[in-house]
Amino acid sequence: MLEWTAAIDELQEVVGIAAVILVCLAAFAFGSVRTRLVAGSMLLNGVAIATFEVYLTGVGMLAATAVKAFMLLFAYAWMCWRWPHIWLIVLTSLQCMDVLLVMARVADTSILLSVNALARNFIGWLVLLTLAVATVQAKRLQLMERAQS
């Protein structure tokens, strides 16, 4: 591969990181308690992924990813049980799909890593979009309550 195209390969990662940080900061600034908890979970997830990429490889990376996905699923399930909002249910469902994709890769190594990663990346963007919509909705409800008082 030509060296000048190497930056394009990393562009999607830079855009993804920037989007996560921007949506999480918006959730912390404008969101409710629920959106702030989810944003904190997303940031911890991002830090865990970065840590795994630095220190783990091979089977250890796969096991750590599975454990992280299950822990995140249980965190979202607890929040969903505590606050049964539709966006939290959607978020939990998306995280469950992510866990299934991780476990499919563990169970069947013939699944291409690139296909699995693409599907998990798509789910990650849907989770980010769900959090962004929930943040906007929380701020809109706050403004409507202020206008009615």
Side-chain angles (χ1 to χ4, degrees), residues 32-142:
S32 63
V33 172
R34 295 171 293 278
T35 56
R36 289 178 182 148
L37 282 173
V38 170
S41 299
M42 287 180 103
L43 288 177
L44 285 175
N45 182 32
V47 169
I49 290 171
T51 304
F52 293 161
E53 286 179 356
V54 171
Y55 293 111
L56 299 174
T57 57
V59 177
M61 175 68 165
L62 196 57
T65 302
V67 168
K68 176 201 60 78
F70 273 112
M71 289 176 57
L72 199 57
L73 176 62
F74 287 128
Y76 288 156
W78 176 81
M79 285 186 264
C80 192
W81 177 72
R82 175 72 173 88
W83 300 290
H85 289 277
I86 189 71
W87 68 271
L88 275 171
I89 294 168
V90 168
L91 204 78
T92 305
S93 301
L94 289 171
Q95 183 60 32
C96 188
M97 288 291 296
D98 187 55
V99 168
L100 289 174
L101 286 170
V102 169
M103 296 315 297
R105 179 76 177 130
V106 170
D108 186 7
T109 56
S110 68
I111 296 173
L112 294 176
L113 182 61
S114 60
V115 173
N116 193 288
L118 180 65
R120 291 187 67 219
N121 193 16
F122 179 70
I123 288 174
W125 280 103
L126 287 177
V127 166
L128 196 61
L129 181 65
T130 303
L131 178 62
V133 169
T135 302
V136 169
Q137 193 67 1
K139 186 61 177 176
R140 188 179 72 82
L141 287 174
Q142 286 175 356

